[in-house]
């Protein structure tokens, strides 16, 4: 089948026009749950491809339950990235904790062995899937600044900027929603939690996230695990003042470029037969079991196409602080010829159920267009997981 060629400029044009339409009525992923509870992702992902409407934070589905988080076995032997800035994160985290009173600190700090809490992250707003830790809105200005300093230290400039724009999207929803949902917002919808004692030698984890965002960073000595990592945005594009904001512009742009480069034969190999309407390895899917590898082998692509695939991977990995990001990207690049890319339904920017995937020996990246029941436009859900290092564990298993 001949691939549909859509230039980045044309994509942006589509996204901008649809974002205007989104101003009509928005209640985001959140509104689904009052009318159709989504089945837990873990149960839905037991099949190789989720089909039909039912993903968490997406279209919703009848008869299911909200996301639930059941502890799995986690160890500390994951294939972490090296060159982590652990010392800087320890300093920033201790500075944040020092600003808290005892009662608040007790809500922020968990045992490192509390696996169920460590696994508690979601694409949903926190009003629907409560997070661990404390919301930014409950902190003093001093504590909030210190909390965000921790997040900034964990991430690259690119990664922190994306956190800010995803929070801006939540502010946009709060301002433009006609549903009266007051749970949106960059302060009320984003939480921070610390697991274990910040240390340059012993394992600990910092978790920051909320609606369409989950950063789960586990440190051990000078190494770090930086997955699971969820980023999404609704709407895809919006304006703040006179500035156009596209939180997932780099991730989506590089990924679509890789798929747009496929020849007709490569395209046929890359297309999955099943429909996939939301990410498969999302929140609460911590069995350690990934879908069967499918798609076109990167080893069969041209040198230029391989560069596009690597650029797409880098767009996710480079959210982390530079040292550990470089380490992780080097690993993924070394496994590029054992990696496949696949898509389902469509590979157009605003296609209904457009689903794109990178699947390697370790790297797993998904990007999908999904929608809530009351939102007129599709929006992005994206996840990056590492098959041998999520939560810093070699192989999380039930």
């Amino acid at each position: 089948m001949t691939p549909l060629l859509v230039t980045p400029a044309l994509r942006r044009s589509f996204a901008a026009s649809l974002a205007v339409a989104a101003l009509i009525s928005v209640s985001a992923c959140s509104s689904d749950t009052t009318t159709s509870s989504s089945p837990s992702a873990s149960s839905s992902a037991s099949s190789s491809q989720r089909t039909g409407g039912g993903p968490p934070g997406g279209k919703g589905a009848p008869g299911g339950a909200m996301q639930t988080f059941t502890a799995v076995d986690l160890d500390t032997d994951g294939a972490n990235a090296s060159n982590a800035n652990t010392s800087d994160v320890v300093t920033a985290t201790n500075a944040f904790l020092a600003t808290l009173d005892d009662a608040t600190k007790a809500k922020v700090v968990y045992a490192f062995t509390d696996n169920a809490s460590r696994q508690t992250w979601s694409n949903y707003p926190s009003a629907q899937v409560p997070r661990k830790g404390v919301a930014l809105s409950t902190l003093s200005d001093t504590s909030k600044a210190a909390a965000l300093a921790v997040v900034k230290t964990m991430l690259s400039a690119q990664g922190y900027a994306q956190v800010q724009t995803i929070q801006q999207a939540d502010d946009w929803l709060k301002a433009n929603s006609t549903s009266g949902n007051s749970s949106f917002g960059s302060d009320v919808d984003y939480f921070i939690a610390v697991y274990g004692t910040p240390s340059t030698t012993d394992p600990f984890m910092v978790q920051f996230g909320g609606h369409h965002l989950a950063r789960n960073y586990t440190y051990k000595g000078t190494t770090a695990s930086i997955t699971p990592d969820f980023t999404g945005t609704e709407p895809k594009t919006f304006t703040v003042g006179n500035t156009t904001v596209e939180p997932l512009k780099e991730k989506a742009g590089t990924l679509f470029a890789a798929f747009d480069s496929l020849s007709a034969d490569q395209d046929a190999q890359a297309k999955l037969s099943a429909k996939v309407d939301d990410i498969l390895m999302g929140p609460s899917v911590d069995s350690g079991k990934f879908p069967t590898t499918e798609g076109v082998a990167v080893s069969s692509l041209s040198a230029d196409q391989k560069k596009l695939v690597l650029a797409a991977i880098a767009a996710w990995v480079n959210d982390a602080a530079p040292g550990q990001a470089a380490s992780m990207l080097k690993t993924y690049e070394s496994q590029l010829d054992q990696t496949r890319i696949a898509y389902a339904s469509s590979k157009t920017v605003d296609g209904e159920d457009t689903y794109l995937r990178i699947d390697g020996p370790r790297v797993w990246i998904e990007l999908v267009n999904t929608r809530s029941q009351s939102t007129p436009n599709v929006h992005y859900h994206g996840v990056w997981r590492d098959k041998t290092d999520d939560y810093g564990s070699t192989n999380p298993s039930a």
Side-chain angles (χ1 to χ4, degrees), residues 79 298-299 309-310 313 328-340 358-364 386-388:
V298 175
S299 61
V309 175
L310 187 61
I313 295 173
M328 188 60 72
L329 190 59
K330 184 178 180 180
T331 297
Y332 292 161
E333 183 176 12
S334 71
Q335 299 174 340
L336 204 56
D337 281 347
Q338 292 79 52
T339 300
R340 291 179 180 267
I358 298 176
D359 180 8
R362 288 183 55 177
V363 66
W364 175 272
D386 188 293
K387 296 176 181 178
T388 62

Side-chain angles (χ1 to χ4, degrees), residues 179-209:
S179 69
N181 193 332
S182 61
S183 67
F184 297 126
S186 56
D187 277 355
V188 301
D189 216 1
Y190 295 87
F191 288 63
I192 186 168
V194 176
Y195 298 87
T197 302
S199 168
T200 57
T201 56
D202 297 326
F204 71 100
M205 174 179 173
V206 179
Q207 185 179 63
F208 182 79

Side-chain angles (χ1 to χ4, degrees), residues 38-366:
S38 296
S40 68
S42 54
S43 61
S44 297
S46 59
S47 60
S48 62
Q49 308 293 333
R50 190 202 313 274
T51 59
K59 296 178 178 178
M66 286 293 293
Q67 294 164 0
T68 56
F69 302 91
T70 303
V72 300
D73 293 331
L74 299 176
D75 59 37
T76 57
D77 298 327
N80 285 0
S82 59
N83 299 319
N85 60 340
T86 309
S87 179
D88 293 338
V89 176
V90 169
T91 299
T93 305
N94 282 334
F96 163 57
L97 296 176
T99 69
L100 306 178
D101 58 41
D102 289 345
T104 305
K105 186 175 179 180
K107 297 177 181 177
V108 170
V109 179
Y110 293 74
F112 184 74
T113 53
D114 187 347
N115 291 346
S117 294
R118 290 176 63 197
Q119 297 166 229
T120 303
W121 53 274
S122 177
N123 51 291
Y124 272 123
S126 60
Q128 295 173 306
V129 177
R131 305 305 200 274
K132 300 299 179 180
V134 295
L136 296 178
S137 61
T138 68
L139 299 174
S140 67
D141 289 344
T142 298
S143 295
K144 177 184 170 183
L148 292 176
V150 175
V151 181
K152 191 172 185 178
T153 303
M154 292 160 51
L155 302 173
S156 65
Q158 163 189 310
Y160 187 65
Q162 187 168 70
V163 166
Q164 292 177 305
T165 54
I166 289 172
Q167 290 180 291
Q168 286 179 318
D170 224 46
D171 284 334
W172 187 95
L173 289 174
K174 184 179 180 66
N176 293 284
S177 171
T178 58
S179 69
N181 193 332
S182 61
S183 67
F184 297 126
S186 56
D187 277 355
V188 301
D189 216 1
Y190 295 87
F191 288 63
I192 186 168
V194 176
Y195 298 87
T197 302
S199 168
T200 57
T201 56
D202 297 326
F204 71 100
M205 174 179 173
V206 179
Q207 185 179 63
F208 182 79
H211 190 203
H212 285 143
L213 179 67
R215 305 288 196 188
N216 299 296
Y217 279 39
T218 305
Y219 297 89
K220 187 176 79 168
T222 57
T223 70
S225 162
I226 42 187
T227 58
D229 185 290
F230 183 97
T231 48
T233 182
E234 183 178 17
K236 290 183 176 181
T237 303
F238 55 98
T239 58
V240 176
N242 295 321
T243 301
T244 299
V245 182
E246 299 178 66
L248 264 64
K249 179 179 180 181
E250 179 71 12
K251 289 177 177 174
T254 54
L255 198 51
F256 278 109
F259 280 88
D260 284 350
S261 76
L262 298 180
S263 67
D265 179 62
Q266 292 166 342
D267 186 279
Q269 296 177 58
K271 187 166 185 178
L272 303 172
S273 58
K275 176 182 178 183
V276 184
D277 60 5
D278 207 339
I279 57 175
L280 302 177
M281 298 303 294
S284 79
V285 186
D286 290 321
S287 66
K289 297 178 181 177
F290 286 74
T292 301
T293 297
E294 298 179 87
V296 63
V298 175
S299 61
S300 70
L301 305 183
S302 70
D304 286 343
Q305 287 176 311
K306 290 180 181 179
K307 290 179 181 177
L308 293 175
V309 175
L310 187 61
I313 295 173
W316 298 77
V317 176
N318 285 338
D319 279 356
Q324 58 221 47
S327 170
M328 188 60 72
L329 190 59
K330 184 178 180 180
T331 297
Y332 292 161
E333 183 176 12
S334 71
Q335 299 174 340
L336 204 56
D337 281 347
Q338 292 79 52
T339 300
R340 291 179 180 267
I341 62 173
Y343 77 97
S345 300
S346 166
K347 56 179 185 177
T348 58
V349 170
D350 293 309
E352 189 77 20
D353 298 330
T354 286
Y355 172 86
L356 310 178
R357 177 200 300 173
I358 298 176
D359 180 8
R362 288 183 55 177
V363 66
W364 175 272
I365 290 170
E366 297 175 271

